[in-house]
Amino acid sequence: MTTLILTLVGSDRPGLVAAVADVVDAHGGNWENSQVAELAGVFAGVVQVSVAEDRASELTTTLQGLDGLTVAVHAGTTATESASQPVSLQILGNDRPGIVREISSVLRTHQLSIDDMTTTTRDAAMAGGRLFEASVTAEVPASADLDALRADLERLATEIQVDITLD
């Protein structure tokens, strides 16, 4: 078996996930992990599938032929064992450009790898304006200095006026 990572983008409509799942199943594949969402009327997803090596090319061709859906297929890699630990960050503050760039820059400086990130904006009920919320799970290498990471995130939170919680 080989692992494929599919990225899917297209105008949102009912049945897109079912269409992809039908193709994966018809080629003997297994849908393993995924994240899909509708954003501003556009369906977007990332899906990990496993399929027999000799069926991967045919699966790829059929997926790329799905009507109204742009599909890119990437070969997955085998995860390597590493001495790392997961951390979670929760971010909340007034929305403004640059929040993701600033936070991801601090994580990069400390060699953290983002495993999962979800962001959203919403109306601030009492204060007016928009709020930015994010949830991030990242892998911290054993060599990382968690106290320095925490200090840099606290400095950044003050600088860009958001609340950042590190668990």
Side-chain angles (χ1 to χ4, degrees), residues 115-133:
D115 288 339
D116 184 59
M117 180 171 75
T118 304
T119 66
T120 188
T121 57
R122 61 181 167 88
D123 290 330
M126 300 297 218
R130 303 281 293 163
L131 287 177
F132 173 85
E133 284 184 274

Side-chain angles (χ1 to χ4, degrees), residues 40-167:
V42 175
F43 170 84
V46 179
V47 181
Q48 176 185 340
V49 300
S50 59
V51 65
E53 182 78 35
D54 63 339
R55 306 223 33 212
S57 178
E58 181 184 343
L59 171 62
T60 297
T61 300
T62 305
L63 286 168
Q64 291 172 335
L66 287 173
D67 187 40
L69 196 59
T70 301
V71 179
V73 180
H74 309 272
T77 59
T78 304
T80 58
E81 287 292 319
S82 65
S84 63
Q85 63 180 344
V87 294
S88 296
L89 289 102
Q90 303 299 317
I91 299 103
L92 177 64
N94 290 324
D95 187 35
R96 68 167 190 74
I99 295 174
V100 171
R101 179 182 50 80
E102 295 285 347
I103 291 170
S104 62
S105 291
V106 169
L107 298 180
R108 176 181 57 207
T109 297
H110 291 274
Q111 301 298 305
L112 273 69
S113 177
I114 296 174
D115 288 339
D116 184 59
M117 180 171 75
T118 304
T119 66
T120 188
T121 57
R122 61 181 167 88
D123 290 330
M126 300 297 218
R130 303 281 293 163
L131 287 177
F132 173 85
E133 284 184 274
S135 176
V136 177
T137 303
E139 286 294 318
V140 180
S143 61
D145 181 344
L146 286 176
D147 290 333
L149 171 63
R150 187 176 308 308
D152 284 351
L153 288 170
E154 288 172 359
R155 176 196 48 76
L156 178 63
T158 300
E159 206 174 279
I160 65 174
Q161 299 179 343
V162 299
D163 292 327
I164 300 175
T165 305
L166 175 66
D167 298 323

